[in-house]
Amino acid sequence: EPPEGGWGWVVMLAAMWCNGAVFGIQNSCGVLFVSMLELFGGGEDKQLSFKTAWVSSLSMGMVFFCSPIVSIFTDLFGCQKVAVTGAAVGFAGLLASSFVSTIEPLYFTYGVLFACGCSFAYQPSLVILGHYFKKRLGLVNGIVTAGSSLFTVSLPFVLRVLIDSVGLCNTLRVLCILIFVLFVAGFTYKPLVSDAKDKEGEKKGKFSPGKKICNFSVFKVVSYRIWAFGIPAALFGYFVPYVHLVS
């Protein structure tokens, strides 16, 4: 049974920081968008606006596009290793983004590298909560997801001040601090089950190793199919205002 507390509260705070850092930066892309336009060219260039919007669009999309892959890696290697590795990759991508001189390299450094790192750091932060909480899981999930709202509300104001003071490149380097803290926070995701017990459980399991990694039998459940396809449909236009409705 999950301990329902103890070290779990530390894990909850780490997961809250993860949600805040990842989605605070992603949802503040409107501020970064305007700064990128000013840095890389005139704001009247419609083609440049389109190219710049693609940076944030690609980044936001990759965070969720990688989710199935991250889930497999989390099952194979555990929450701690995946989260720490993801944060390290995200840190490298964000730091590299601060040194570019044109918009195109940002497609890889910010749109792919940073976003994939965020995805690998974010997914385990949700999975690990179920290891430490069961009865209080709803409350804990609510507190963790509140982290994204707190950062989303406050970070744009901080970014505006930083960009006006030190410029976009140095602002991205300051944001690296958030990701570095995320890297450290990943070490709190201590597994509760030893490797020996994991291996013993695998031997007793009814699924083959291949099906444990990728098992589509759950799609036979009608309610799950409705949920699995309904949520993406509902979120289809969710992030459009963040990226494309910047005045």
Side-chain angles (χ1 to χ4, degrees), residues 16-28:
M16 183 179 179
W17 181 274
C18 176
N19 273 255
V22 170
F23 290 107
I25 296 174
Q26 293 290 346
N27 293 343
S28 300

PDB file of all heavy atoms in Angstrom, residues 16-28:
ATOM      1  N   MET A  16       5.167  19.205  -8.390  1.00  0.00           N
ATOM      2  CA  MET A  16       4.542  20.517  -8.556  1.00  0.00           C
ATOM      3  C   MET A  16       5.492  21.482  -9.253  1.00  0.00           C
ATOM      4  O   MET A  16       5.087  22.243 -10.141  1.00  0.00           O
ATOM      5  CB  MET A  16       4.129  21.066  -7.189  1.00  0.00           C
ATOM      6  CG  MET A  16       3.400  22.397  -7.239  1.00  0.00           C
ATOM      7  SD  MET A  16       2.935  22.948  -5.581  1.00  0.00           S
ATOM      8  CE  MET A  16       2.138  24.511  -5.958  1.00  0.00           C
ATOM      9  N   TRP A  17       6.758  21.446  -8.856  1.00  0.00           N
ATOM     10  CA  TRP A  17       7.758  22.289  -9.516  1.00  0.00           C
ATOM     11  C   TRP A  17       7.899  21.897 -10.983  1.00  0.00           C
ATOM     12  O   TRP A  17       8.042  22.757 -11.856  1.00  0.00           O
ATOM     13  CB  TRP A  17       9.101  22.169  -8.808  1.00  0.00           C
ATOM     14  CG  TRP A  17      10.159  23.032  -9.432  1.00  0.00           C
ATOM     15  CD1 TRP A  17      10.974  22.719 -10.485  1.00  0.00           C
ATOM     16  CD2 TRP A  17      10.478  24.379  -9.070  1.00  0.00           C
ATOM     17  NE1 TRP A  17      11.792  23.774 -10.798  1.00  0.00           N
ATOM     18  CE2 TRP A  17      11.508  24.809  -9.947  1.00  0.00           C
ATOM     19  CE3 TRP A  17      10.003  25.252  -8.088  1.00  0.00           C
ATOM     20  CZ2 TRP A  17      12.064  26.079  -9.863  1.00  0.00           C
ATOM     21  CZ3 TRP A  17      10.557  26.517  -8.011  1.00  0.00           C
ATOM     22  CH2 TRP A  17      11.577  26.923  -8.888  1.00  0.00           C
ATOM     23  N   CYS A  18       7.856  20.598 -11.244  1.00  0.00           N
ATOM     24  CA  CYS A  18       7.968  20.112 -12.623  1.00  0.00           C
ATOM     25  C   CYS A  18       6.844  20.670 -13.483  1.00  0.00           C
ATOM     26  O   CYS A  18       7.081  21.202 -14.570  1.00  0.00           O
ATOM     27  CB  CYS A  18       7.944  18.586 -12.640  1.00  0.00           C
ATOM     28  SG  CYS A  18       7.948  17.875 -14.304  1.00  0.00           S
ATOM     29  N   ASN A  19       5.614  20.547 -13.003  1.00  0.00           N
ATOM     30  CA  ASN A  19       4.470  21.077 -13.751  1.00  0.00           C
ATOM     31  C   ASN A  19       4.599  22.580 -13.955  1.00  0.00           C
ATOM     32  O   ASN A  19       4.312  23.104 -15.036  1.00  0.00           O
ATOM     33  CB  ASN A  19       3.169  20.767 -13.002  1.00  0.00           C
ATOM     34  CG  ASN A  19       2.594  19.421 -13.355  1.00  0.00           C
ATOM     35  OD1 ASN A  19       1.621  19.314 -14.080  1.00  0.00           O
ATOM     36  ND2 ASN A  19       3.215  18.364 -12.856  1.00  0.00           N
ATOM     37  N   GLY A  20       5.031  23.272 -12.906  1.00  0.00           N
ATOM     38  CA  GLY A  20       5.162  24.718 -13.000  1.00  0.00           C
ATOM     39  C   GLY A  20       6.238  25.151 -13.967  1.00  0.00           C
ATOM     40  O   GLY A  20       6.020  26.029 -14.812  1.00  0.00           O
ATOM     41  N   ALA A  21       7.412  24.528 -13.863  1.00  0.00           N
ATOM     42  CA  ALA A  21       8.531  24.917 -14.719  1.00  0.00           C
ATOM     43  C   ALA A  21       8.245  24.607 -16.184  1.00  0.00           C
ATOM     44  O   ALA A  21       8.475  25.444 -17.070  1.00  0.00           O
ATOM     45  CB  ALA A  21       9.804  24.206 -14.266  1.00  0.00           C
ATOM     46  N   VAL A  22       7.739  23.405 -16.444  1.00  0.00           N
ATOM     47  CA  VAL A  22       7.496  22.991 -17.833  1.00  0.00           C
ATOM     48  C   VAL A  22       6.412  23.838 -18.483  1.00  0.00           C
ATOM     49  O   VAL A  22       6.618  24.457 -19.535  1.00  0.00           O
ATOM     50  CB  VAL A  22       7.129  21.494 -17.896  1.00  0.00           C
ATOM     51  CG1 VAL A  22       6.631  21.124 -19.295  1.00  0.00           C
ATOM     52  CG2 VAL A  22       8.332  20.635 -17.522  1.00  0.00           C
ATOM     53  N   PHE A  23       5.248  23.893 -17.845  1.00  0.00           N
ATOM     54  CA  PHE A  23       4.129  24.584 -18.488  1.00  0.00           C
ATOM     55  C   PHE A  23       4.152  26.087 -18.242  1.00  0.00           C
ATOM     56  O   PHE A  23       3.525  26.843 -18.988  1.00  0.00           O
ATOM     57  CB  PHE A  23       2.810  23.966 -18.029  1.00  0.00           C
ATOM     58  CG  PHE A  23       2.609  22.590 -18.575  1.00  0.00           C
ATOM     59  CD1 PHE A  23       2.729  21.481 -17.758  1.00  0.00           C
ATOM     60  CD2 PHE A  23       2.341  22.398 -19.918  1.00  0.00           C
ATOM     61  CE1 PHE A  23       2.574  20.205 -18.264  1.00  0.00           C
ATOM     62  CE2 PHE A  23       2.187  21.125 -20.438  1.00  0.00           C
ATOM     63  CZ  PHE A  23       2.304  20.021 -19.609  1.00  0.00           C
ATOM     64  N   GLY A  24       4.865  26.526 -17.223  1.00  0.00           N
ATOM     65  CA  GLY A  24       5.050  27.961 -17.058  1.00  0.00           C
ATOM     66  C   GLY A  24       5.827  28.535 -18.226  1.00  0.00           C
ATOM     67  O   GLY A  24       5.465  29.579 -18.790  1.00  0.00           O
ATOM     68  N   ILE A  25       6.896  27.845 -18.618  1.00  0.00           N
ATOM     69  CA  ILE A  25       7.695  28.292 -19.764  1.00  0.00           C
ATOM     70  C   ILE A  25       6.924  28.120 -21.064  1.00  0.00           C
ATOM     71  O   ILE A  25       6.887  29.021 -21.915  1.00  0.00           O
ATOM     72  CB  ILE A  25       9.029  27.521 -19.822  1.00  0.00           C
ATOM     73  CG1 ILE A  25       9.883  27.842 -18.593  1.00  0.00           C
ATOM     74  CG2 ILE A  25       9.796  27.864 -21.098  1.00  0.00           C
ATOM     75  CD1 ILE A  25      11.159  27.023 -18.484  1.00  0.00           C
ATOM     76  N   GLN A  26       6.284  26.967 -21.227  1.00  0.00           N
ATOM     77  CA  GLN A  26       5.548  26.710 -22.468  1.00  0.00           C
ATOM     78  C   GLN A  26       4.390  27.691 -22.650  1.00  0.00           C
ATOM     79  O   GLN A  26       4.175  28.215 -23.746  1.00  0.00           O
ATOM     80  CB  GLN A  26       5.009  25.271 -22.466  1.00  0.00           C
ATOM     81  CG  GLN A  26       6.065  24.186 -22.524  1.00  0.00           C
ATOM     82  CD  GLN A  26       6.770  24.109 -23.867  1.00  0.00           C
ATOM     83  OE1 GLN A  26       6.321  24.682 -24.854  1.00  0.00           O
ATOM     84  NE2 GLN A  26       7.883  23.412 -23.913  1.00  0.00           N
ATOM     85  N   ASN A  27       3.653  27.948 -21.592  1.00  0.00           N
ATOM     86  CA  ASN A  27       2.487  28.828 -21.698  1.00  0.00           C
ATOM     87  C   ASN A  27       2.858  30.307 -21.765  1.00  0.00           C
ATOM     88  O   ASN A  27       2.003  31.142 -22.067  1.00  0.00           O
ATOM     89  CB  ASN A  27       1.543  28.599 -20.515  1.00  0.00           C
ATOM     90  CG  ASN A  27       0.905  27.227 -20.547  1.00  0.00           C
ATOM     91  OD1 ASN A  27       0.901  26.553 -21.573  1.00  0.00           O
ATOM     92  ND2 ASN A  27       0.371  26.791 -19.422  1.00  0.00           N
ATOM     93  N   SER A  28       4.112  30.619 -21.490  1.00  0.00           N
ATOM     94  CA  SER A  28       4.578  32.005 -21.596  1.00  0.00           C
ATOM     95  C   SER A  28       5.192  32.283 -22.964  1.00  0.00           C
ATOM     96  O   SER A  28       5.901  33.278 -23.144  1.00  0.00           O
ATOM     97  CB  SER A  28       5.616  32.297 -20.505  1.00  0.00           C
ATOM     98  OG  SER A  28       5.076  32.103 -19.224  1.00  0.00           O
TER      99      SER A  28
END
